[in-house]
Amino acid sequence: MAIILDGKETARKVREGLKTEVLELRKSGIVPRLAVIMVGDDNASKIYVRNKSKACDEVGIEFEEHLLSEKTTMKELLGLIDELNNDKKINGILLQSPIPSNLDINEAFRRISPEKDVDGFNPVNVGKLVLAQNTFISCTPFGIIKILEEYNIPIEGKNAVVIGRSNIVGKPMLQCLLNKNATVTICHSKTKNLKEITKKADILVSAIGRPKFVTKDMVKEGAVVIDVGINRNSEGKVCGDVDFETVKDIASSITPVPGGVGPMTVAMLMNNVVKATKQQN
Ligand code: NAD
């Protein structure tokens, strides 16, 4: 039976540490502030934004939400980003995805000042991650590295396989693992013989978005399995990409869903806001 990598508890510890840092900042009159932009009416996004707001409250970060209608134009969105970029009280800016498809999310990410880009999606920060320079690492891969470190799971020299190549999870995950000296393979929907590749993974990260996609026969005995997926099963319950019940018997450790990667993502966002605040002061 695998060790369950407790993201909820690890995230709580991260927030606890940040709380102390924020108290120190506040003593010198500096109050970290995060602005979140949401465009349209996506139900999952609302839950994610609520979780981020709750975490801000706990850590002592001020939170402001900018809700834009579905009909918002690119000009209006960029106008708001400019305003927030120029507002000295704002330390971090996050644009919640998805946004309506008529808007160009990449252009919006480019517009967020790299100094306030706490999600790490501005190409300047993505480039710095590739070059292994100091940057804002995007929160989900950063949270995964943090939980591996918390459980003293070695990364260097390991075979790591990432399934999924999205800009927000798969690609930065590849880079984070590479920066920690893993040998990394990235797989996607066009990958042939996926199982042969995943079977070789010492560390297997799944970020696809399909329930029970990763089955026991795809996993090497003793592998560390990280489940990024947030899906709904046929009963409407939240589940990951991994068939947890069977894979946990073969893995050495595994993240649950919920309570694994999700809380870590939010905690690392808090970390990035505090870091941005310090850098700006
Ligand atoms: P995405 O839809 O942008 O990308 C999915 C990726 O999976 C693509 O690169 C695609 O090539 C790959 N893929 C799809 N089918 C495949 C197949 N049959 N074989 C191999 N690869 C396949 O998704 P995303 O935004 O990266 O999110 C992935 C999942 O992670 C979703 O469930 C999402 O909700 C979740 N997510 C969780 C967190 C968190 O904090 N836990 C954060 C972001 C995303």
Side-chain angles (χ1 to χ4, degrees):
M1 168 73 188
I3 294 168
I4 308 297
L5 304 174
D6 188 342
K8 212 169 151 187
E9 174 56 18
T10 308
R12 192 195 58 74
K13 279 194 205 162
V14 172
R15 291 196 305 272
E16 213 46 52
L18 292 170
K19 221 170 167 172
T20 317
E21 288 186 49
V22 172
L23 268 175
E24 282 305 309
L25 284 168
R26 282 182 174 250
K27 274 187 205 155
S28 37
I30 298 163
V31 182
R33 191 173 179 89
L34 171 68
V36 171
I37 307 171
M38 213 164 57
V39 191
D41 210 24
D42 184 75
N43 277 331
S45 291
K46 282 186 197 158
I47 298 171
Y48 299 148
V49 170
R50 201 184 314 139
N51 289 341
K52 288 167 189 175
S53 152
K54 264 172 40 192
C56 279
D57 258 6
E58 192 189 324
V59 171
I61 296 170
E62 288 189 346
F63 177 88
E64 64 178 57
E65 199 174 327
H66 297 264
L67 283 176
L68 303 183
S69 97
E70 201 120 320
K71 296 194 183 98
T72 301
T73 62
M74 202 58 210
K75 197 170 166 221
E76 286 165 339
L77 175 59
L78 295 179
L80 172 60
I81 293 173
D82 287 344
E83 226 176 83
L84 298 171
N85 280 340
N86 294 326
D87 185 341
K88 294 235 160 15
K89 291 194 300 297
I90 306 285
N91 306 106
I93 303 170
L94 180 150
L95 172 62
Q96 184 67 41
S97 70
I99 61 174
S101 55
N102 61 310
L103 301 176
D104 182 349
I105 197 157
N106 291 320
E107 190 181 353
F109 285 148
R110 271 201 304 278
R111 195 69 160 244
I112 296 174
S113 153
E115 289 74 35
K116 296 189 177 184
D117 171 39
V118 286
D119 245 348
F121 294 152
N122 181 296
V124 170
N125 288 326
V126 176
K128 284 184 175 175
L129 179 65
V130 173
L131 299 171
Q133 294 173 1
N134 179 33
T135 185
F136 294 111
I137 302 174
S138 66
C139 304
T140 301
F142 194 11
I144 291 170
I145 297 294
K146 186 85 190 168
I147 200 168
L148 292 173
E149 288 177 346
E150 175 69 19
Y151 281 85
N152 294 315
I153 293 171
I155 304 173
E156 184 164 306
K158 298 293 175 190
N159 278 333
V161 173
V162 179
I163 324 178
R165 59 168 161 189
S166 72
N167 289 343
I168 67 164
V169 188
K171 285 183 200 163
M173 187 74 250
L174 155 86
Q175 216 52 64
C176 285
L177 289 162
L178 186 60
N179 291 350
K180 293 282 177 191
N181 296 320
T183 304
V184 194
T185 306
I186 187 155
C187 304
H188 46 79
S189 54
K190 303 284 188 279
T191 298
K192 297 213 163 60
N193 305 323
L194 182 65
K195 185 171 140 185
E196 274 173 34
I197 301 169
T198 59
K199 265 274 192 197
K200 293 199 177 111
D202 302 310
I203 300 172
L204 180 61
V205 180
S206 181
I208 316 170
R210 293 193 187 193
K212 294 195 180 178
F213 181 89
V214 177
T215 46
K216 192 175 174 180
D217 59 321
M218 294 168 73
V219 179
K220 175 174 151 181
E221 181 136 22
V224 175
V225 179
I226 305 291
D227 191 351
V228 183
I230 303 178
N231 313 300
R232 298 250 169 212
N233 66 13
S234 48
E235 292 119 48
K237 260 179 69 183
V238 172
C239 67
D241 290 345
V242 177
D243 185 9
F244 184 86
E245 283 311 314
T246 60
V247 172
K248 73 175 183 345
D249 295 335
I250 188 171
S252 61
S253 45
I254 186 167
T255 58
V257 179
V261 175
M264 291 306 297
T265 298
V266 181
M268 299 330 278
L269 172 66
M270 301 300 112
N271 176 86
N272 284 354
V273 177
V274 173
K275 176 177 168 157
T277 308
K278 286 182 171 171
Q279 286 180 357
Q280 288 158 31
N281 287 276

